Amino acid sequence: MPGANSIASISFQVVVRNRASPQASPNASVSVSYTTQGGSSASTALTTNWLMPNNLTAQTNNGSLVRSPSVYSWAGDSYLVDSWQRPMYIRQPTFTWTRIKQSNPLAGGTNIITLSFTPNVELISRCRPRIVLSNLVGACVNADAAIDSQLFSNTNKVSGRASFDATNLALTMYAVRYSAANSSDPLPDSMVLDHTPYGVNFTSINPVQGQDAPQPYLQVVLDGATMNMPPAVAVIQDTDTLLPAVNDVSFSYGDASALKVLAPTFTVRSIIQSNPLPGQYNTFLVTIQLNMALPNNTVVTISGFTPNTPTDPNSTSRRDLSPSGTLPLQSIPGSASQSILGYVRDAAGSLGSYAGAGYFDRVLGRLSLYLTNGGLQAGVNYSFQFNLRNPQCQMSPVVPCIRASRIAAGCYLGFVGRNLFNTRSDVTTGTLSVDGTNVLGAQVGESLPLAVRQPGILMAAVQQSSAMPCASNDLTFAFRTSVSLVADLNQTLIFTGLMGVRGGLPVAMPGGVVQLQVTAIGDNVFGAAASWNPSTGTLVVPVWVDTVAGRNYSFKVTVTNPATPQSCASSILMSITGMCFNTQSVVWPLLNSSPDLAGQGSCTVPVFNTVDPTSGWGSAPALVNGTCPLYVVNASYSLAMARQSSAFPCDPSNVITIQLVSNVPLSYCAPNITIRGLTGTQSPASSVFSITVQGSAGTAIWFNDTGSMVVTAPTVPSTSCTPLIITFTLRNQKAPRPLGATVTIETSGFPNTAIAPAQILTRYSALVPSVLVNDSLVVLAGSFPTKTMVQTTPWPGASNTLTVTISSSVPLWTDCAVVAFTNLEEACAAPGALALQGSDAALFSYNGTMSSTGLWSSSADPSGRAVQQGRLTLRPIGANNVVCGAVTCLPPSVNWTFSFVIFNPVVPQYSPPVQILADATLGSVPIDPANFVKDLVSTPILSGVCTNAAQGTCALTAGDAAPLRVYAPTFLVADIGQSTPYPRRLNTLSVTLLTNMPLQAGSSITVSNLAGAQTPSGVIDVRSGFGFGSTVFDSFSAVNAALPGNGSWDLQARSLTLFVTKLVPAGTFMNFSFQLLNPDCGQESPPVC
């Protein structure tokens, strides 16, 4: 032992096992404790830091040298303080060098990935170190992956295997080798040395979709490491290796980077067609190549075979492209590419019925190929061809696209996205079967897929053989198309607008739908019969044989012209079904044909004044533009005249004569003749009329509401220009009609529903201008040439006899004449029947049956004056007359005289304008009101006192005979005298009165201003005559309706009131007397009134 107070040097070693987690060297120290000699004293402690020698070497447990320190690179280790020799410094495991690469960058391909690395520390088996390769994006590796190194094992301790975590995309390799699975002891040679290169390979299936190379990471993880985990190291991708080509697929630098996947595509995709004509079968030649292999059951789809223009109205029945279903493929003769036929079917797996075929979907316009027999290799050209029927409409070319789907590659299902085909517009198709004179052959650019020519009608023409009504008419058609018509498409030629024109509007041909025989002119490519719908003007002709584009074709059909005239069809259109042909206007006439028809023009028209109904009218020249289709000449009348026998209103026996000369043989149509415009007559509403045609009796149907007559199938001339005369009887209207009716005539032929345009009949006055009344249905306006009225008295309230004399300018038929006298102002008569007197009174009736009567009525003045207007209404009864015909009438221009009695008004008035009229409101022939002619010269001769010498008393003058001239009521005589002038004597007063109006019972007379009389008020006697005799004056009484012979005296009023007890006629003298007591004093005689 060292001596006292000496320093001892003690050496010893301690063996420990480094921990799994890296760490920096801890600050180590040593502590020494000791006691005094004998151990009796307290101990003393000494603590000091370690001295760190720098000449130590790393040794194993048995002291042997592990490795020279010079091989280590310590830079970058975050746990190194100053020297690796510091106790308990544990280095961070990492990699000093990494590389990763792959063998195949093709999508879906089998890929060998090679990982190379060099660790910086020994990976001791006891710590179960594992190397984790992560971020293997896109890798598809077996969970128990085979690797080519026995130094490593999987989680199941199987050497030569690694474990792949598909969720975290990481490959784990344990740096431990075991003799058997689940063995707890590694083999002695299992340690991975530091700074030693290692490499492993494993197999992955690439994803189907392309991707850039991911950044893989490499990390060492030791069991038991709970802190200071070593970070992952970014593995360097290999960008220096150039991979060898796969068939025609070559690679670039960088494609060896692990898990870089080239985007799958069709590197070759070409397609051309053989035929641009619509509706024709078209061969499509296809060549494809991919930069990936396609396995079995992959579906290659070529799409885009869809018409890109609107379809025609017949699209539901068209057969564009191909029906949905199996579509056979063919190899391309002479092609250097490999035929695809041995690798495709029309459905997947066992569903595929046909090898070397695909499935075509008509709705979606796509062809699907299902791969079989190993699928397609990458970088190999495959070719094939198939047939589709071209769309039937013009199309701009489409650019089809190609894709692959349902690709199963390892862990992935994927697809190759749509790639547009590369098309060529600089080449032509093969030789086309066309007539090169009018249609071009194959053109550059028409090899583009579904480039389809526009179907066009290059020429369409038509003409007819006859323009005569009801004639058989050959319609000849010619046409030429820009493309061939295909019989297999059931194409038809449709001609519309085969309708003549009337009034600017097309009209249907007569008849129903029929089949017409088709007669080909030249090449016969048509069906034997065409469907003809005359109601719509549509002709449908089937095509039974393929045509040649650009060649002229023609045919004819025969139709029957309508009976009615019409202009030619103004807008005939031709269309063709089964293809999207443009609609083409059809022109006329045919090429190199005349537009005129010989011998079908109008007859020569003579001057009217030289018309001889029995003469011929010449021959017809050529009809200008007669070949215009469906032009039917107007079956007009060179002479068409109408006249009548009577212009009297309401005449029931007016004979209408129609004279016709036609420019066509009417017998062609066996026509009906319709006469229109005879409106306003009073003929029966609808009836069968008796007529004469060519002098023979016949019948016609009359429609009075429309003024038309239909003569059914009369015997008509069989040659043109022969007169036809028809007569019948109508009843004229009541109202005046100064101008004749505009009468038209129409002829209807086969069938009878077709009506010809109306032709206006010539008025007779156009031939004989001075005879206007013979124009059909001219009706004269009636008048009263004679119309006088006189009266017998102008006295107010008097019974007055009015005598009239009238005549009419037209017959007054008893069933359509009502005569009225109006403006009989203030005339008074009992309402109702009023008796007529005179020689002609029996010709009139108030009700049409009771003769010698009129109907009296009165009404308020329409102007609002406070007067009543009297009216006398008369209905003629009449008598048979040669003028009247079948109905009784009053003949024209005959004077009728009769009279009637009324009472004059009691107020004065001048003679009013009394009028006569025929009242249309009561169903009469209308004759406008006219004033009666008044007698302004004569003086009425009155009866009684006004006769002879007393005439002057009446004061009548010339003009008093004017009807309803009425004087003001007055006393013509008013005299009074007395018997005594002595005062206070009883005085007899004698009175004489004479009035110009009758005094009716109940009226009163007052004698007033008897001033001074002293008789007390009361009833006093009134005696007849002068002198107050004994005879009672019975015309007066003191009280109305009391006993006669007295009056009522009023002393205060000094007046005597006398009530009339019975009628006192006008012009009657009244002589009477009464007594009053004179006054006491004298006075002058007062003015008694």
Side-chain angles (χ1 to χ4, degrees), residues 55 262 381 569 626 744 769 805 830 877 952 1089:
N55 58 352
L262 299 179
N381 283 344
T744 60
T805 300
I877 297 177
C1089 58

Side-chain angles (χ1 to χ4, degrees), residues 821-845:
F821 305 154
T822 62
N823 290 350
L824 292 164
E825 186 171 307
E826 291 294 297
C828 182
L834 182 65
L836 306 180
Q837 299 88 33
S839 59
D840 298 317
L843 297 177
F844 300 94
S845 169

Side-chain angles (χ1 to χ4, degrees), residues 38-62:
S40 60
S41 62
S43 62
T44 300
L46 175 64
T47 301
T48 184
N49 291 329
W50 288 99
L51 295 179
M52 302 300 178
N54 56 14
N55 58 352
L56 298 180
T57 60
Q59 296 179 345
T60 62
N61 292 337
N62 58 10

Side-chain angles (χ1 to χ4, degrees), residues 838-907:
S839 59
D840 298 317
L843 297 177
F844 300 94
S845 169
Y846 87 98
N847 60 3
T849 58
M850 182 180 293
S851 64
S852 300
T853 58
L855 179 64
W856 180 262
S857 62
S858 62
S859 61
D861 187 88
S863 67
R865 293 187 304 133
V867 296
Q868 292 288 310
Q869 297 291 354
R871 172 187 171 110
L872 182 63
T873 303
L874 307 169
R875 293 183 181 272
I877 297 177
N880 289 330
N881 185 282
V882 67
V883 176
C884 299
V887 180
T888 303
C889 74
L890 295 182
S893 303
V894 176
N895 287 343
W896 313 305
T897 301
F898 56 92
S899 62
F900 56 95
V901 177
I902 53 89
F903 288 93
N904 286 342
V906 296
V907 294

Side-chain angles (χ1 to χ4, degrees), residues 1004-1008 1010 1015-1022 1036-1040 1042-1060 1072-1076:
S1004 65
I1005 297 174
T1006 301
V1007 182
S1008 60
L1010 294 169
T1015 302
S1017 297
V1019 176
I1020 63 174
D1021 292 333
V1022 178
F1036 298 143
S1037 68
V1039 180
N1040 187 19
L1043 294 175
N1046 51 47
S1048 178
W1049 167 251
D1050 186 341
L1051 174 62
Q1052 184 178 358
R1054 299 297 198 275
S1055 65
L1056 176 64
T1057 301
L1058 304 169
F1059 286 93
V1060 179
F1072 61 93
S1073 61
F1074 57 92
Q1075 292 180 332
L1076 293 176

